[in-house]
Amino acid sequence: MGGKVENSGRQSVKDLFDIYYLSKHYRALSEFFFEYFSYDKAETLIAWYRRFNRMNLKIELLDLVPKIDTVGVMGHLDDEILKKLIEKLI
């Protein structure tokens, strides 16, 4: 998570899915993020996530993982990134 922030392309969707999977099945992102990253990196992650076009994201997630619950994935990420991480920044 350094350098230029872009979210175009399949790799970004893979990265986002990896974040989701680890956060959902290993340890919640909001619980471990600040053990490894600074507050400015949290702001970068939040900005990166907000740049995704939601409709395109759903389609790309389905292309990556057929039959995935896109609403569940995005709900989890919204909660972890847009709610809990932001709360920890305040």
Side-chain angles (χ1 to χ4, degrees):
M1 284 186 52
K4 190 174 179 183
V5 178
E6 289 191 24
N7 64 345
S8 60
R10 191 164 172 89
Q11 187 59 49
S12 290
V13 175
K14 286 180 180 179
D15 293 342
L16 189 65
F17 181 77
D18 289 345
I19 291 169
Y20 159 76
Y21 190 86
L22 292 170
S23 178
K24 182 75 175 178
H25 298 285
Y26 175 66
R27 186 172 167 205
L29 178 70
S30 61
E31 292 178 9
F32 75 82
F33 189 88
F34 293 107
E35 290 177 25
Y36 302 98
F37 300 102
S38 63
Y39 282 84
D40 63 322
K41 294 295 183 187
E43 292 171 351
T44 301
L45 174 64
I46 292 163
W48 174 74
Y49 181 65
R50 283 184 170 155
R51 285 188 182 100
F52 279 94
N53 173 294
R54 295 305 176 120
M55 185 57 69
N56 290 343
L57 178 56
K58 287 179 181 181
I59 292 166
E60 291 176 21
L61 280 169
L62 285 168
D63 285 345
L64 182 66
V65 185
K67 299 183 183 179
I68 191 166
D69 175 11
T70 57
V71 173
V73 169
M74 293 169 65
H76 179 80
L77 291 171
D78 285 352
D79 187 53
E80 286 297 309
I81 297 171
L82 300 180
K83 183 180 175 199
K84 293 178 181 175
L85 277 185
I86 288 175
E87 287 173 355
K88 291 187 178 197
L89 286 173
I90 299 173

